[in-house]
Amino acid sequence: MSTETKTTCPYCGVGCGVIAKIDDAGKVSVKGDPDHPANFGRLCSKGSALAETIALDGRILHPQVNGQRTSWDDALDHVASRFSQTIARHGPDSVAFYVSGQLLTEDYYVANKLMKGFIGSANIDTNSRLCMSSSVAGHKRAFGADTVPGTYEDIELADLVILTGSNLAWCHPVIYQRLAAAKSARPGMKIVVIDPRRTMTADIADLHLAIRPDGDVALFMGLLAHLTGTAAIDQNYIGKHTNGFAEAFAAASPLSIAKLMELTGLPSMQLRQFYRLFEETEKVVTCYSQGVNQSASGTDKVNAIINCHLATGRIGRPGMGPFSLTGQPNAMGGREVGGLANMLAAHMAIENPEDCGRVQRFWASPVIARKPGLKAVDMFRAVADGRIKALWIMATNPVVSMPDADAVAAALAACPFVVVSDVLEKTDTTQYAHVLLPSLGWGEKDGTVTNSERRISRQRDFLSTPGEAKADWWQMAEVGRRMGFAGAFSFSSAAAIFAEHAALSAFENGGSRDFDIGAHAQTSDEDYDALMPFQWPQPQGTTAKETRFFGDGGFYHADGKARFIAVHTPITDRTSAGLPFTLNTGRIRDQWHTMTRTGKSARLSAHIAEPFAEIHPRDAMEMGITSAALVEIESPYGKAVVRALVTDRQARGSLFVPMHWNGQFSAKARIDAVVAPVTDPVSGQPASKNIAVAARPFAVSHYGFAVSAIKPQHPDTAYWALAKADGGWRIELAFDAAPQDWSEWCRRQFNIPAHIEPLGYADAKSGDLRLAFFDGDQLAAALFVARQPVAVARNWAIEHLTVPHSEIGKRFSVVAGRPGAGRMDPGATVCSCFSVGINQIVAAVRSGCHSVEAVGRDLNAGTNCGSCRAEIRGIIDGCLAAAAE
């Protein structure tokens, strides 16, 4: 009998509801939950493919100590003993936890309680430091608390939506769909996209401001100065509910249009157009994400935005307000329990003695951390210099995601004791673990997450526990018990942890703190199982309701007023003669973080299968880099080699490289090894969007493309990048020099038995080579080599891994590298949901499908998650323009 479970997506901070179904044969399928108020049934490409990422290949299923399988008791005793001994010899600040926005709130709560309330150090930080800590700092400076004022509905109700530092179409696709639907229903709605790149989000923009990197502070300072001379200023709101307006205006007013043009890189016409739009539109929502946060001036960017909303009173009312779009599924939940090194649980302040005493009383703990701990970048520096001697890393991969990532790897290699809790046995980080602990993955673990609009939802388990994997909270609670704190860590279930978390939020609160879910302090296991999505706050004795903050003031500073922050224009240009390019890192549509989950899906790897750098055509020409060639990117901290994507979407002098690729999927594409460990002085968030780098062609003798039924283990080549494909793997390759025997090279890399002879040909003059190995009727591997980037029909070649080849003609067609007469090469994948390629879309356009909707009716492309609609529209426009010439 099939079963259905309502749960929550484990990707971005949108927090979409998912229905997971297991049929009679045990097959899992997923669909959007139409009743969940975050997505109303919508899912993006990643969410739609969740069932393709739950296989157990590569999982760690048993505890390991020094690479050897052991029991949970022995592993946990070892962890507790080493942490206790380190604390006894060197003090509580000699140990640290580095956790993750992938953890559930219950996991986060236990980790924070153990470190801050029982070990007595605040050395617990999280990869959320890398994506949203500048928003936290900006909120606290302005509001007195880390409060997100509005809701997703505000984005739909607004008459002007500003997206700054947010590629919404690819990074928060379901919110993008909601926004696009709202604009379609109300064409008068205006959308402004502020981004140095012309991303897919700009497809629905009425105005795209291609701002200089880190020009946002100046842009919004100029806006504040402009508004001050208009009727849009709300003097009543300013006088009644805020302090510091005069100082903020005094900092902004000297900026002339000429100076703003210099600092932002924008023409005066666009500046004035943007300022008039904001001035004349009451219902304005400003959404900001990593392009704002990941900056050495990230906190000032956040406050510059908030200043404009406070000055106009456009906050906390329907269709109005600043809105931080969270990157990870539970970064918000981590903030609620104090998961950052400079926070306490329940939005209490670690620098506030009263809050410290309150939390200590509630926990009945022997100690309490009373000063901030080390933030992520400083934490790994402390590991490197020996101040931290024992480190527990949970549900994250810092050797890929931290700035100056090679230094992080070196620090872990030198650290006396490293514990890693993860779902995969082999990641770039797990190789440094002295103790490796198997954690539960999505579909197996049970708890809550909080999304960007303060909505708490359940992640429910629907899969059997694999091997000996355990919940992260259980692992930490067991170590806490073994360290002598049994009474405080005797949790029997995630429900019990959630109830304690809720009780702490209400403890001695009385409305003095924003975060209060005291209504759930008595939650039983049965209540927890049935918990519906709800938005905080929900104090004891109240029912769940939609809530906005600050429409009528009521801020969380001691005087109840908000603070305008006098911000200052930062240094925006970090380039030099030796480092002439500005590197911007970020996400792409179908991959997530370091690919430990999405890398398992062939469908998600089809759209973009290897790491790349977007380069403006004139920059590429001047460097002698051709499209699809390889480019080496270097900073004083490290190097990376990626594919060149030459496009005028990119601004001159800038490069964009995605942050996802790791050492398991590519040879030299860990781009965060290139990123400087520069941080915002207030939030400690790394500046991952404005890095000075050099770029140059990466010279090779031969390029290659291969398909293989088995996964090759780190090919012995100058460059490689592999991706999951239906029936096996696809591999991009480049060689310093041709192997002496290509056939033998293939046998080694693809594990081809000696009795299988290849079919193929080689042209010594052109350098072209084709080899295909067939094991019976099945293609075992095929290799295509050329002196230039290989022009082979990749998706067509991949299809041959899953079809029989009993006919000799079909085998020779593989060697040819392209379809025969009468067959279409689908081309590069555009729509991942339905595996529709660019050539299919072009053919549909030529046959009369001249709109995205028409292409959808003909091919289904763009009709599921909608993330590819902007790309489809671009293909249509290109085809129609070419036909008109």
Side-chain angles (χ1 to χ4, degrees):
M1 182 177 179
S2 63
T3 61
E4 289 190 346
T5 302
K6 289 196 171 188
T7 184
T8 308
C9 181
Y11 290 119
C12 75
V14 176
C16 294
V18 174
I19 298 176
K21 180 179 179 180
I22 303 179
D23 67 17
D24 294 343
K27 183 179 179 181
V28 176
S29 60
V30 299
K31 62 181 180 180
D33 181 356
D35 298 323
H36 198 287
N39 59 315
F40 299 106
R42 299 177 177 92
L43 288 179
C44 73
S45 58
K46 295 185 292 291
S48 298
L50 274 167
E52 300 165 27
T53 68
I54 57 178
L56 298 184
D57 55 301
R59 289 288 297 270
I60 175 172
L61 300 177
H62 309 282
Q64 295 178 11
V65 174
N66 296 322
Q68 300 299 311
R69 178 176 172 177
T70 189
S71 68
W72 268 111
D73 278 339
D74 286 349
L76 295 171
D77 284 345
H78 186 50
V79 173
S81 174
R82 287 296 299 266
F83 268 77
S84 294
Q85 290 170 11
T86 302
I87 293 164
R89 292 173 186 169
H90 304 287
D93 287 336
S94 65
V95 301
F97 294 167
Y98 185 65
V99 296
S100 166
Q102 304 295 300
L103 292 176
L104 303 183
T105 299
E106 293 73 12
D107 304 319
Y108 250 131
Y109 180 86
V110 176
N112 185 65
K113 182 178 181 180
L114 176 58
M115 179 57 75
K116 289 177 180 161
F118 288 83
I119 291 174
S121 171
N123 280 350
I124 174 171
D125 212 45
T126 165
N127 63 10
S128 299
R129 176 72 61 191
L130 312 182
C131 69
M132 38 49 67
S133 55
S134 290
S135 284
V136 174
H139 291 164
K140 291 179 72 174
R141 289 204 303 189
F143 306 145
D146 177 23
T147 311
V148 174
T151 70
Y152 292 157
E153 184 186 40
D154 291 325
I155 298 172
E156 297 165 317
L157 296 176
D159 294 321
L160 170 62
V161 175
I162 301 165
L163 302 171
T164 181
S166 169
N167 185 6
L168 198 70
W170 278 18
C171 299
H172 297 91
V174 168
I175 297 301
Y176 174 80
Q177 293 170 47
R178 291 182 62 168
L179 175 60
K183 184 170 175 60
S184 178
R186 290 192 295 118
M189 171 191 274
K190 300 297 183 185
I191 297 173
V192 176
V193 170
I194 304 168
D195 198 308
R197 301 163 61 221
R198 185 169 181 85
T199 66
M200 289 301 169
T201 302
D203 177 64
I204 61 169
D206 298 280
L207 177 63
H208 171 222
L209 301 180
I211 197 167
R212 288 185 63 172
D214 284 341
D216 313 68
V217 175
L219 178 67
F220 284 93
M221 288 176 74
L223 175 59
L224 180 65
H226 170 84
L227 293 169
T228 303
T230 72
I233 286 289
D234 191 334
Q235 296 287 359
N236 182 59
Y237 192 92
I238 292 170
K240 188 175 181 181
H241 299 302
T242 73
N243 283 321
F245 174 77
E247 293 82 358
F249 173 69
S253 59
L255 293 175
S256 65
I257 285 290
K259 186 64 175 177
L260 289 170
M261 290 169 63
E262 175 191 338
L263 293 171
T264 65
L266 299 173
S268 62
M269 182 181 69
Q270 286 194 337
L271 287 168
R272 296 180 194 279
Q273 183 181 0
F274 172 56
Y275 290 168
R276 283 196 302 271
L277 270 174
F278 197 106
E279 171 198 339
E280 296 168 0
T281 312
E282 182 181 26
K283 289 188 173 182
V284 181
V285 170
T286 306
C287 298
Y288 47 93
S289 193
Q290 313 302 20
V292 165
N293 294 327
Q294 290 180 333
S295 167
S297 57
T299 304
D300 276 0
K301 289 184 185 183
V302 172
N303 286 118
I305 293 166
I306 293 173
N307 283 348
C308 297
H309 282 272
L310 291 175
T312 53
R314 296 170 182 171
I315 186 169
R317 291 183 285 155
M320 305 181 210
F323 202 116
S324 165
L325 295 169
T326 315
Q328 294 193 80
N330 203 32
M332 291 286 282
R335 288 148 71 168
E336 292 159 13
V337 302
L340 292 164
N342 55 323
M343 301 172 69
L344 274 183
H347 284 196
M348 285 182 268
I350 201 167
E351 64 273 12
N352 185 324
E354 291 183 5
D355 284 348
C356 290
R358 184 178 293 115
V359 175
Q360 187 174 12
R361 285 194 301 278
F362 180 86
W363 281 340
S365 60
V367 292
I368 192 75
R370 294 182 178 272
K371 62 178 182 178
L374 294 172
K375 298 167 186 172
V377 170
D378 289 333
M379 179 180 287
F380 283 97
R381 284 175 176 151
V383 174
D385 66 27
R387 283 174 288 155
I388 290 175
K389 302 176 185 303
L391 176 67
W392 192 345
I393 299 169
M394 305 168 202
T396 188
N397 196 5
V399 175
V400 179
S401 57
M402 282 290 294
D404 196 10
D406 287 345
V408 171
L412 293 180
C415 186
F417 190 61
V418 177
V419 183
V420 178
S421 298
D422 210 316
V423 295
L424 289 188
E425 183 172 12
K426 293 182 179 179
T427 72
D428 295 62
T429 298
T430 58
Q431 63 182 309
Y432 299 103
H434 300 98
V435 178
L436 186 55
L437 302 177
S439 294
L440 298 176
W442 181 81
E444 301 155 5
K445 57 186 180 179
D446 192 55
T448 58
V449 293
T450 306
N451 74 359
S452 295
E453 61 170 352
R454 295 177 279 105
R455 193 175 304 279
I456 296 174
S457 300
R458 289 276 280 109
Q459 262 195 30
R460 294 181 172 90
D461 58 318
F462 58 89
L463 298 172
S464 300
T465 299
E468 296 182 273
K470 295 287 188 180
D472 293 283
W473 69 258
W474 180 90
Q475 299 174 31
M476 290 175 278
E478 284 296 312
V479 168
R481 290 162 64 90
R482 285 165 166 80
M483 292 178 71
F485 313 127
F489 294 94
S490 57
F491 299 114
S492 59
S493 66
I497 303 169
F498 181 76
E500 182 175 306
H501 163 52
L504 175 55
S505 76
F507 184 63
E508 299 178 4
N509 190 332
S512 61
R513 302 191 302 275
D514 61 342
F515 180 71
D516 185 343
I517 56 170
H520 300 275
Q522 302 300 320
T523 296
S524 65
D525 285 358
E526 292 75 18
D527 295 333
Y528 191 69
D529 287 343
L531 189 68
M532 299 292 289
F534 73 95
Q535 195 177 46
W536 64 258
Q538 192 185 353
Q540 192 168 9
T542 65
T543 57
K545 64 177 181 178
E546 303 297 286
T547 308
R548 293 177 176 87
F549 283 87
F550 311 139
D552 295 313
F555 295 93
Y556 290 95
H557 288 293
D559 59 3
K561 293 187 175 184
R563 300 288 187 269
F564 282 91
I565 303 298
V567 297
H568 302 280
T569 55
I571 297 171
T572 58
D573 188 359
R574 302 179 182 278
T575 62
S576 63
L579 302 169
F581 286 94
T582 297
L583 171 66
N584 170 15
T585 68
R587 294 172 174 160
I588 60 172
R589 189 186 79 190
D590 293 348
Q591 294 296 347
W592 177 252
H593 279 203
T594 62
M595 297 171 62
T596 50
R597 181 185 289 114
T598 50
K600 289 188 169 190
S601 168
R603 179 153 56 112
L604 294 179
S605 297
H607 180 234
I608 297 175
E610 65 176 322
F612 63 91
E614 284 190 1
I615 307 173
H616 189 275
R618 287 183 63 186
D619 289 333
M621 181 180 65
E622 289 174 3
M623 288 188 287
I625 294 173
T626 57
S627 184
L630 294 175
V631 56
E632 182 176 65
I633 299 169
E634 183 177 10
S635 78
Y637 300 91
K639 297 179 182 179
V641 178
V642 295
R643 188 74 65 176
L645 175 57
V646 180
T647 172
D648 58 9
R649 293 194 302 266
Q650 181 59 271
R652 286 215 67 188
S654 291
L655 308 170
F656 172 81
V657 179
M659 52 80 67
H660 307 291
W661 272 269
N662 58 48
Q664 315 306 308
F665 287 93
S666 60
K668 301 174 180 178
R670 289 166 48 252
I671 196 60
D672 277 306
V674 178
V675 174
V678 174
T679 60
D680 178 285
V682 180
S683 69
Q685 180 155 353
S688 301
K689 302 293 187 184
N690 188 350
I691 307 104
V693 298
R696 62 185 70 90
F698 185 73
V700 296
S701 68
H702 292 77
Y703 288 86
F705 172 74
V707 295
S708 171
I710 63 112
K711 182 180 181 181
Q713 297 301 315
H714 295 197
D716 182 20
T717 57
Y719 168 88
W720 58 266
L722 59 87
K724 193 76 173 68
D726 288 333
W729 296 84
R730 57 185 292 172
I731 309 102
E732 300 287 346
L733 301 158
F735 301 81
D736 284 330
Q740 287 187 348
D741 187 322
W742 284 105
S743 178
E744 287 306 310
W745 184 89
C746 288
R747 293 185 192 280
R748 291 195 309 271
Q749 298 300 322
F750 307 128
N751 198 26
I752 306 295
H755 69 274
I756 297 178
E757 292 296 327
L759 189 68
Y761 75 89
D763 185 328
K765 184 176 180 181
S766 69
D768 288 358
L769 174 133
R770 304 283 190 270
L771 290 176
F773 296 82
F774 294 91
D775 189 356
D777 288 346
Q778 297 300 310
L779 177 65
L783 173 68
F784 308 87
V785 175
R787 291 200 175 105
Q788 299 299 321
V790 178
V792 63
R794 282 161 168 75
N795 281 348
W796 175 85
I798 290 165
E799 290 175 4
H800 285 271
L801 290 170
T802 57
V803 297
H805 295 80
S806 55
E807 300 173 12
I808 191 66
K810 185 175 284 188
R811 297 188 180 200
F812 275 110
S813 72
V814 175
V815 175
R818 60 183 182 276
R823 292 204 58 197
M824 174 187 281
D825 165 26
T829 298
V830 175
C831 174
S832 298
C833 295
F834 294 105
S835 299
V836 179
I838 186 172
N839 294 344
Q840 294 168 286
I841 296 171
V842 168
V845 176
R846 288 173 177 168
S847 68
C849 296
H850 292 173
S851 69
V852 175
E853 291 72 23
V855 170
R857 287 191 295 271
D858 190 55
L859 299 173
N860 284 329
T863 62
N864 183 40
C865 81
S867 300
C868 61
R869 290 174 64 86
E871 199 167 347
I872 294 170
R873 186 173 290 108
I875 295 167
I876 295 170
D877 292 345
C879 289
L880 296 179
E885 290 179 355

Coordinates of all heavy atoms in Angstrom, one line a residue, residues 348-385:
M348 N 18.5 36.0 22.1 CA 19.0 36.7 23.2 C 20.5 37.0 22.8 O 21.1 36.4 22.0 CB 18.9 36.0 24.5 CG 17.4 36.0 25.0 SD 17.2 35.2 26.6 CE 16.7 33.6 26.1
A349 N 21.0 38.1 23.5 CA 22.3 38.6 23.2 C 23.4 38.1 24.1 O 23.3 38.3 25.4 CB 22.3 40.1 23.2
I350 N 24.5 37.6 23.6 CA 25.5 37.1 24.4 C 26.3 38.1 25.1 O 26.9 37.9 26.2 CB 26.5 36.2 23.5 CG1 27.3 35.2 24.3 CG2 27.4 37.1 22.7 CD1 28.0 34.2 23.5
E351 N 26.2 39.4 24.7 CA 26.9 40.5 25.4 C 26.0 41.1 26.5 O 26.5 42.0 27.2 CB 27.3 41.5 24.4 CG 26.2 42.3 23.7 CD 25.7 41.5 22.4 OE1 26.1 40.4 22.2 OE2 25.0 42.2 21.6
N352 N 24.8 40.6 26.6 CA 23.9 41.1 27.6 C 23.9 40.2 28.8 O 23.5 39.1 28.8 CB 22.5 41.2 27.0 CG 21.4 41.8 28.0 OD1 21.5 41.6 29.2 ND2 20.5 42.5 27.4
P353 N 24.4 40.7 30.0 CA 24.5 39.8 31.2 C 23.2 39.3 31.6 O 23.1 38.1 32.1 CB 25.1 40.8 32.2 CG 25.8 41.8 31.4 CD 25.0 42.0 30.2
E354 N 22.1 40.1 31.5 CA 20.8 39.6 31.9 C 20.3 38.4 31.0 O 19.8 37.4 31.5 CB 19.7 40.7 31.8 CG 19.9 41.8 32.8 CD 18.8 42.9 32.7 OE1 17.9 42.7 31.9 OE2 18.9 43.9 33.5
D355 N 20.6 38.5 29.7 CA 20.2 37.4 28.8 C 21.1 36.1 29.1 O 20.6 35.0 29.2 CB 20.5 37.8 27.4 CG 19.4 38.7 26.8 OD1 18.3 38.8 27.5 OD2 19.5 39.3 25.7
C356 N 22.4 36.4 29.4 CA 23.2 35.2 29.8 C 22.7 34.5 31.0 O 22.6 33.3 31.1 CB 24.7 35.7 30.0 SG 25.5 36.2 28.5
G357 N 22.3 35.3 32.0 CA 21.8 34.7 33.3 C 20.5 34.0 33.0 O 20.2 33.0 33.6
R358 N 19.7 34.6 32.2 CA 18.4 34.0 31.9 C 18.5 32.6 31.2 O 17.9 31.6 31.6 CB 17.6 34.9 31.0 CG 16.2 34.5 30.7 CD 15.4 35.5 29.8 NE 15.2 36.7 30.5 CZ 15.8 37.9 30.2 NH1 16.6 38.0 29.2 NH2 15.5 39.0 30.9
V359 N 19.4 32.5 30.2 CA 19.6 31.3 29.6 C 20.2 30.2 30.5 O 19.9 29.1 30.6 CB 20.5 31.4 28.3 CG1 20.8 30.1 27.7 CG2 19.8 32.3 27.3
Q360 N 21.2 30.7 31.3 CA 21.8 29.8 32.3 C 20.8 29.2 33.3 O 20.8 28.1 33.6 CB 23.0 30.5 33.0 CG 23.8 29.5 33.8 CD 25.1 30.1 34.4 OE1 25.2 31.3 34.4 NE2 25.9 29.3 34.9
R361 N 19.9 30.1 33.8 CA 18.9 29.6 34.7 C 18.0 28.6 34.1 O 17.7 27.6 34.7 CB 18.1 30.8 35.2 CG 18.8 31.7 36.2 CD 17.8 32.6 36.9 NE 17.1 33.5 36.0 CZ 17.6 34.7 35.5 NH1 18.8 35.1 35.9 NH2 16.8 35.4 34.7
F362 N 17.6 28.9 32.8 CA 16.7 28.0 32.2 C 17.3 26.6 32.0 O 16.7 25.6 32.2 CB 16.2 28.5 30.8 CG 15.3 27.6 30.1 CD1 13.9 27.7 30.3 CD2 15.8 26.7 29.1 CE1 13.0 26.9 29.6 CE2 14.9 25.9 28.4 CZ 13.5 26.0 28.7
W363 N 18.6 26.6 31.5 CA 19.3 25.4 31.3 C 19.8 24.7 32.6 O 20.2 23.5 32.5 CB 20.5 25.6 30.3 CG 20.1 25.7 28.9 CD1 19.0 25.3 28.3 CD2 20.9 26.3 27.8 NE1 19.0 25.6 26.9 CE2 20.2 26.2 26.6 CE3 22.2 26.9 27.8 CZ2 20.7 26.7 25.4 CZ3 22.7 27.4 26.6 CH2 21.9 27.3 25.4
A364 N 19.8 25.5 33.6 CA 20.5 25.0 34.9 C 21.9 24.5 34.6 O 22.3 23.4 35.0 CB 19.6 23.9 35.5
S365 N 22.6 25.3 33.8 CA 23.9 24.9 33.4 C 25.0 25.4 34.3 O 24.9 26.4 35.0 CB 24.2 25.4 32.0 OG 24.1 26.8 31.9
P366 N 26.1 24.6 34.4 CA 27.2 25.0 35.3 C 27.9 26.3 34.8 O 28.5 27.0 35.7 CB 28.1 23.8 35.2 CG 27.9 23.2 33.9 CD 26.4 23.4 33.6
V367 N 27.9 26.6 33.5 CA 28.6 27.8 33.0 C 27.7 28.3 31.9 O 26.8 27.7 31.4 CB 30.0 27.4 32.4 CG1 31.0 27.0 33.6 CG2 29.9 26.3 31.4
I368 N 28.1 29.5 31.4 CA 27.5 30.1 30.2 C 28.5 30.9 29.5 O 29.3 31.6 30.2 CB 26.2 30.9 30.6 CG1 25.4 31.2 29.3 CG2 26.6 32.2 31.3 CD1 24.6 30.0 28.8
A369 N 28.5 30.8 28.2 CA 29.4 31.7 27.4 C 28.9 33.1 27.6 O 27.8 33.4 27.4 CB 29.4 31.3 26.0
R370 N 29.9 34.0 27.9 CA 29.5 35.4 28.1 C 30.2 36.4 27.2 O 30.1 37.6 27.4 CB 29.8 35.8 29.6 CG 28.9 35.1 30.6 CD 29.2 35.5 32.0 NE 28.2 34.8 32.9 CZ 27.0 35.2 33.3 NH1 26.6 36.4 32.8 NH2 26.3 34.5 34.1
K371 N 30.8 35.8 26.2 CA 31.5 36.7 25.2 C 31.4 35.9 23.8 O 31.3 34.7 23.8 CB 32.9 37.0 25.5 CG 33.8 35.8 25.6 CD 35.3 36.1 25.9 CE 36.1 34.8 25.9 NZ 37.5 35.1 26.1
P372 N 31.4 36.7 22.7 CA 31.3 36.0 21.4 C 32.4 35.0 21.2 O 33.6 35.3 21.7 CB 31.3 37.2 20.4 CG 30.8 38.3 21.2 CD 31.3 38.1 22.6
G373 N 32.2 34.0 20.5 CA 33.2 33.0 20.1 C 33.8 33.5 18.8 O 33.6 34.5 18.3
L374 N 34.6 32.6 18.2 CA 35.2 32.8 16.9 C 34.3 32.6 15.8 O 33.7 31.5 15.7 CB 36.5 32.0 16.8 CG 37.6 32.2 17.8 CD1 38.7 31.2 17.7 CD2 38.2 33.6 17.6
K375 N 34.2 33.6 14.9 CA 33.4 33.4 13.7 C 34.2 32.6 12.7 O 35.4 32.4 12.8 CB 33.1 34.8 13.1 CG 32.3 35.7 14.1 CD 32.2 37.1 13.7 CE 31.5 37.9 14.7 NZ 31.6 39.4 14.5
A376 N 33.5 32.1 11.7 CA 34.0 31.0 10.8 C 35.4 31.2 10.3 O 36.3 30.4 10.5 CB 33.1 30.9 9.6
V377 N 35.7 32.4 9.7 CA 37.1 32.6 9.2 C 38.1 32.6 10.3 O 39.2 31.9 10.2 CB 37.1 33.9 8.3 CG1 38.6 34.2 8.0 CG2 36.3 33.7 7.1
D378 N 37.8 33.3 11.4 CA 38.7 33.3 12.5 C 38.8 31.9 13.2 O 39.9 31.6 13.7 CB 38.3 34.4 13.5 CG 38.5 35.8 13.0 OD1 39.4 36.0 12.2 OD2 37.8 36.7 13.4
M379 N 37.7 31.2 13.2 CA 37.8 29.9 13.8 C 38.8 29.0 13.1 O 39.6 28.3 13.7 CB 36.4 29.2 13.7 CG 36.3 27.8 14.3 SD 34.7 27.1 14.2 CE 33.8 28.0 15.4
F380 N 38.8 29.0 11.8 CA 39.7 28.1 11.1 C 41.2 28.7 11.1 O 42.1 27.9 11.1 CB 39.3 27.9 9.6 CG 38.1 26.9 9.5 CD1 36.8 27.3 9.5 CD2 38.4 25.5 9.6 CE1 35.8 26.4 9.4 CE2 37.4 24.6 9.6 CZ 36.0 25.0 9.5
R381 N 41.3 30.0 11.3 CA 42.6 30.5 11.6 C 43.1 30.0 12.9 O 44.3 29.7 13.1 CB 42.6 32.0 11.6 CG 42.5 32.7 10.2 CD 42.3 34.1 10.3 NE 42.4 34.8 9.0 CZ 41.7 35.9 8.7 NH1 41.0 36.5 9.6 NH2 41.8 36.4 7.4
A382 N 42.2 29.9 13.9 CA 42.6 29.4 15.2 C 42.9 27.9 15.2 O 43.7 27.4 16.0 CB 41.5 29.7 16.2
V383 N 42.2 27.2 14.3 CA 42.6 25.8 14.1 C 44.0 25.7 13.5 O 44.9 24.9 14.0 CB 41.6 25.1 13.2 CG1 42.1 23.7 12.8 CG2 40.2 25.0 13.8
A384 N 44.3 26.6 12.6 CA 45.6 26.6 11.9 C 46.8 26.9 12.9 O 47.8 26.3 12.8 CB 45.6 27.6 10.8
D385 N 46.5 27.9 13.8 CA 47.6 28.3 14.7 C 47.7 27.6 16.0 O 48.5 27.9 16.8 CB 47.6 29.8 14.9 CG 46.4 30.3 15.7 OD1 45.8 29.6 16.4 OD2 46.0 31.5 15.5

